[in-house]
Each structure stands twice: as C-alpha cells, then as structure tokens.
Amino acid sequence: MNRRVTSLAAVLTLGALLVGAGCGGESSDSGASSGKGTVPFDQAFIDAMVPHHEQAIEMAMDAKAAGLSEPALVQIADAVIATQQQEIDQMKAWREEWFGSATIDPAGADALGMSMDEMGMSDTRMDFGAEDDVDGAFASMMADHHQGAIDMAELAGEKAERTEISDVARAIIVAQQSEMSVLQQFAGGGHDMGDMGS
C-alpha cells in the first residue's frame, strides 16, 4: 500500500512539474519578442510591413517637402501617403484581433528571414533637401523600397495563414509594380537604400 501511495505521489509530482514547465514555456513565448521559430508568419509580416509602409510615407512626405515636382511622381507620393496609411491601420487592427496587441515588435520582422536591405529599408532617413535632383532621388529610392515590399508580399503569397494577409499582399504587389514602372522612368543613378541620410 505504501509503495502504491509513493508511486502515485511521484506521478503527481512529475505531472505538476511538467504542467508548470509547460505553462512557463508558454508565457515566455507569448511576449512580443518571441524567438524566430515561435512567431506566426502573419504576425511577422505585419511587424515587417507596417514599419516598411511607415518609411515609405516618411520618404514621400520628405520628398514633397524638398520640392518633388514631376507630376507623375507627386501622384505616386500622394498615393503612398494615402493608401499605405490605410493598410497600416488595417494591419494593426488585425494584429490586435489575432495576436492580442496592435503594438509592432521591432524584432518581429526577423522571423521573415529577410535582411533590411532585402526589404528595401534603411535605418537612416534620406535628406532629400540635400539632393540636386529630388525627383530622381525619390524615384530611385522609392523603386528600391517598392521592390522590397514586392518581395515581402510574394513571400506572404507562399506562407500567409490568413486570406486577409494573402489579399493585402496581392494588393501591394499590384499597386507597387504599377508604380515601379513609372518610378524607373525617372530614377536617377547612384542611389539605393544604403545611401539614405548620406
């Protein structure tokens, strides 16, 4: 009888330890900065695309303030500011609904496995006011930036778990490929995202 009670106590103790370990593991993974393997693709895509869109809006506004003048480029800048802000608002709403928070994790995009350069992003701000050819600089920089967004969206086409992410990815590809054809006509030489702020 004592042996049976001792065995039962051992099993219960082991069970409690396993449950405790499971709970501990879950709580550490549920934070915003989860490891690469634990971040759902859709969350990583939102965490990557929101700051990507924010940088595009910043570039468009800065270029306009610096004297962007070519009508076709001004139209693209205005479209970037309007449509990408709408997409940011929508993606943040999805993030809150699906993952419990609208707050973008700065490290969340790492789970996509793409570098800043591959995403067409830079950690410095472009000084369009220092450019002799604002139109050419904007066209070149935004073309690089758009290509990064297209590559990210194509990845979402393969890996997205929700149709909403697949749909926004398709919309990004269509809109930005169309704008790319215009941007490339005006792109000046010698600019890429690595030149921002230089």
Side-chain angles (χ1 to χ4, degrees), residues 61-83:
M61 294 176 71
D62 287 355
K64 287 187 70 176
L68 189 70
S69 60
E70 174 57 49
L73 297 179
V74 173
Q75 185 176 0
I76 286 175
D78 289 340
V80 163
I81 293 166
T83 62

Side-chain angles (χ1 to χ4, degrees), residues 19-100:
V19 168
C23 289
E26 243 174 67
S27 65
S28 66
D29 284 347
S30 63
S33 298
S34 304
K36 279 188 183 182
T38 61
V39 177
F41 178 86
D42 292 354
Q43 181 180 329
F45 179 80
I46 292 169
D47 285 348
M49 193 59 80
V50 165
H52 194 277
H53 274 12
E54 288 172 343
Q55 191 171 87
I57 291 169
E58 179 183 277
M59 289 166 59
M61 294 176 71
D62 287 355
K64 287 187 70 176
L68 189 70
S69 60
E70 174 57 49
L73 297 179
V74 173
Q75 185 176 0
I76 286 175
D78 289 340
V80 163
I81 293 166
T83 62
Q84 295 198 20
Q85 186 58 57
Q86 290 174 354
E87 288 174 353
I88 287 169
D89 295 341
Q90 180 62 77
M91 286 188 283
K92 283 187 171 181
W94 287 334
R95 196 186 194 287
E96 183 165 22
E97 179 184 346
W98 300 337
F99 307 111

